[in-house]
Amino acid sequence: MPPRPAAPRLTPRRTGLGLAAVSLLLLTGCFAESSGTASAEGTGGTTDARIRAAMMQPPRSALSPFSDDAFKLSRWSTGETLVRLDEAGDAQPMLATEWEQLDETTWSFTIRDGVTFHDGTELTAQNAADSLARAVAAEPAPRILDGVEMEVTAEGDTVRVSTAEVDPLVPQRLSSPQLSILAPAAYEGTTVTPVGHGTGPFELTSLDGTSGATLERYEDYWGGAAAAAGIDVSFVPDGTARAAALRAGEADVVESVPVGQAAQVDEDLLTEVPMPRTNTLYLNTEDGPFTDPALRAAAREALDPQSLVDGVYEGRADTAAGLLGPALPYAAAGRDTDEYRQALEGRAAAGDPAGQKITIGTFTDRAELPEVAVQVQQQLESAGFEVELDVREYQYIEADALEGDFDAFILSRATVLDSGDPVAYMVSDFGCDGSFNLSQFCSETVDDALTAAEQATPGEERRQAILAAEAAILAEDAAIPMLHERVIQGEQSGVEGAARDPRERELITAETTAAE
């Protein structure tokens, strides 16, 4: 963490903390005083208790909603969007109560009555449209709008959204925290200030640089007052310090406890949340040994993902049955069909590596990947390959990987991007014109499947098309999914109602409470 002007005063919520634990927290300088206590009203009402949250990364852009900082605004329930996503990734009402598609490129969203921003301004269709228009005009554009031409206007009590091309995912796009609706006063020139300008159950009242933030219950929240009195946020990049805070009772909710620290924490305080992130071995299909489908099949047969889960991730991951993991509940069910199985029946049989030399690249930025690479090397060598590893920092290896300089590349890849939909990831990684095609892969069959998925209507039709595209990709062995990662979330005993969200959009909600 960056140095602070002075260490915070600690008032432990629970008595009897060991001196060593308190000393460690003083050294890390991260946790705010907790002044509240639970009221006697019990669940269902408001309390005086505050929630102390330890977040992994400090803001990079002063909490601008146009950046990845937007996900902090949503995880603290201070910034809200027109729609939200349910577990299946389908759009549900939020600041918009309903919507309809007027034509192929135009959508209309009806704005909820009775909503006020934290500065007291009323939410109207006009200021909602103005807020979205600011995002559309931002430079650089929010990632969710990358490559999307969009125009936003107000029509009575509705917001009208028009796109240059047909886009069935417009409602899902508008669920991105990067399109949070903020009060008009939040915008001044190119600067966006979310402090005091959201619509959620908690009002962001202060941001202390990269050290912490404070939020208070917004009594006039349209959905009813939050249970907790507020949130005291500390930014704690050091994973050891976050785990120590959980052990010592100095944080109520902790983001991302490192796997290596989990054994030091009471298991009852940990929750493992499946992430839409897959650890995958991409095979170069354009140049080198893996142009041969039989050798790609040999690599697939040689790998033992369970040993990676057990050895590297200490059992805190899921072996991969496909590109998409348990964070997408429909994926497993979608594979249990005759159509899916038939798509894989034509995969090439494994050939004999016969000492083929291959180079595998990966990077050090994610701590587990170098160890994964070593185990993959051993498994492939046992099958008859001769393997050399090239491990660097990501910034020094990405360009070479994209150029196809490796025979294989190990990547921890997010499979669900900002719209909550995996099609963009599949097109990027496996489409003939994909911008992140590490496998240098091009297949007319796969491109046709991806096009069908892109054009499918959100819901069951789109989910079936997504699984059909996954099967087409796996049938070519362009990439071998190995495991799906989990994030370990810490929750102090007595915490109730904290969100366990694979998309990392929600954390502290209006229902979250922390007891004595």
Side-chain angles (χ1 to χ4, degrees), residues 314-385:
E314 301 180 14
R316 299 181 185 273
D318 298 288
T319 56
L323 297 169
L324 308 177
L328 297 178
Y330 62 83
R335 296 188 188 104
D336 189 23
T337 64
D338 291 338
E339 292 82 3
Y340 192 94
R341 287 187 285 269
Q342 288 170 4
L344 298 183
E345 286 177 357
R347 284 197 291 192
D352 182 3
Q356 281 280 1
K357 295 181 179 180
I358 60 172
T359 300
I360 300 177
T362 195
F363 50 97
T364 57
D365 303 53
R366 296 188 74 86
E368 298 85 5
L369 291 189
E371 189 175 349
V372 167
V374 170
Q375 291 204 23
V376 168
Q377 177 187 36
Q378 294 170 353
Q379 291 172 13
L380 292 177
E381 287 182 339
S382 295
F385 290 95

Side-chain angles (χ1 to χ4, degrees), residues 162-178:
S162 300
T163 55
E165 298 179 359
V166 176
D167 184 359
L169 284 181
V170 165
Q172 280 79 358
R173 289 191 192 282
L174 296 184
S175 76
S176 170
Q178 294 182 325

Side-chain angles (χ1 to χ4, degrees), residues 89-448:
D90 295 328
Q92 302 294 334
M94 199 171 197
L95 294 180
T97 55
E98 59 184 1
W99 50 91
E100 61 176 326
Q101 187 171 8
L102 303 179
D103 57 44
E104 285 190 338
T105 60
T106 307
W107 298 73
S108 178
F109 295 81
T110 302
I111 297 303
R112 184 181 297 276
D113 289 331
V115 178
T116 57
F117 294 102
H118 296 150
D119 63 5
T121 306
E122 179 185 0
L123 172 67
T124 65
Q126 186 62 60
N127 53 37
D130 290 344
S131 185
L132 290 174
R134 292 274 193 164
V136 170
E139 294 185 5
R143 190 175 59 231
I144 187 64
L145 296 179
D146 188 23
V148 177
E149 293 184 40
M150 180 180 289
E151 182 179 346
V152 186
T153 58
E155 298 283 344
D157 64 349
T158 68
V159 169
R160 186 161 294 187
V161 177
S162 300
T163 55
E165 298 179 359
V166 176
D167 184 359
L169 284 181
V170 165
Q172 280 79 358
R173 289 191 192 282
L174 296 184
S175 76
S176 170
Q178 294 182 325
L179 300 182
S180 294
I181 306 299
L182 300 181
Y187 306 95
E188 186 172 344
T190 59
T191 302
V192 188
T193 305
V195 176
H197 294 136
T199 60
F202 293 101
E203 177 185 355
L204 177 63
T205 57
S206 68
L207 172 65
D208 185 10
T210 59
S211 297
T214 303
L215 299 95
E216 304 294 341
R217 178 168 53 216
Y218 183 54
E219 300 292 348
D220 294 327
Y221 178 55
W222 60 267
I231 310 170
D232 298 312
V233 177
S234 298
F235 303 118
V236 192
D238 182 80
T240 301
R242 291 197 304 279
L246 188 63
R247 289 198 308 270
E250 290 296 331
D252 298 307
V253 179
V254 176
E255 272 193 325
S256 191
V257 176
V259 169
Q261 292 292 317
Q264 310 301 318
V265 179
D266 184 343
E267 192 69 27
D268 290 341
L269 305 184
L270 303 177
T271 299
E272 295 180 32
V273 182
M275 300 299 294
R277 178 174 286 279
T278 302
N279 193 310
T280 301
L281 180 67
Y282 290 79
L283 304 180
N284 188 334
T285 64
E286 185 179 62
D287 186 38
F290 291 127
T291 58
D292 181 354
L295 290 185
R296 299 203 297 270
R300 167 172 46 85
E301 300 251 333
L303 293 186
D304 178 12
Q306 188 62 52
S307 69
L308 302 177
V309 169
D310 295 339
V312 180
Y313 289 85
E314 301 180 14
R316 299 181 185 273
D318 298 288
T319 56
L323 297 169
L324 308 177
L328 297 178
Y330 62 83
R335 296 188 188 104
D336 189 23
T337 64
D338 291 338
E339 292 82 3
Y340 192 94
R341 287 187 285 269
Q342 288 170 4
L344 298 183
E345 286 177 357
R347 284 197 291 192
D352 182 3
Q356 281 280 1
K357 295 181 179 180
I358 60 172
T359 300
I360 300 177
T362 195
F363 50 97
T364 57
D365 303 53
R366 296 188 74 86
E368 298 85 5
L369 291 189
E371 189 175 349
V372 167
V374 170
Q375 291 204 23
V376 168
Q377 177 187 36
Q378 294 170 353
Q379 291 172 13
L380 292 177
E381 287 182 339
S382 295
F385 290 95
E386 184 178 328
V387 183
E388 179 181 345
L389 298 181
D390 187 341
V391 182
R392 314 176 214 163
E393 289 183 35
Y394 187 75
Q395 63 177 323
Y396 299 121
I397 203 169
E398 181 189 47
D400 291 342
L402 290 172
E403 286 295 320
D405 289 351
F406 302 101
D407 298 306
F409 197 84
I410 296 173
L411 182 71
S412 175
R413 179 71 161 130
T415 59
V416 174
L417 304 182
D418 295 317
S419 65
D421 183 84
V423 175
Y425 141 73
M426 290 180 167
V427 171
S428 173
D429 287 28
F430 303 107
C432 289
D433 296 323
S435 60
F436 203 75
N437 193 335
L438 297 180
S439 296
Q440 315 301 309
F441 175 70
C442 183
S443 162
E444 183 177 346
T445 299
V446 169
D447 262 17
D448 288 345

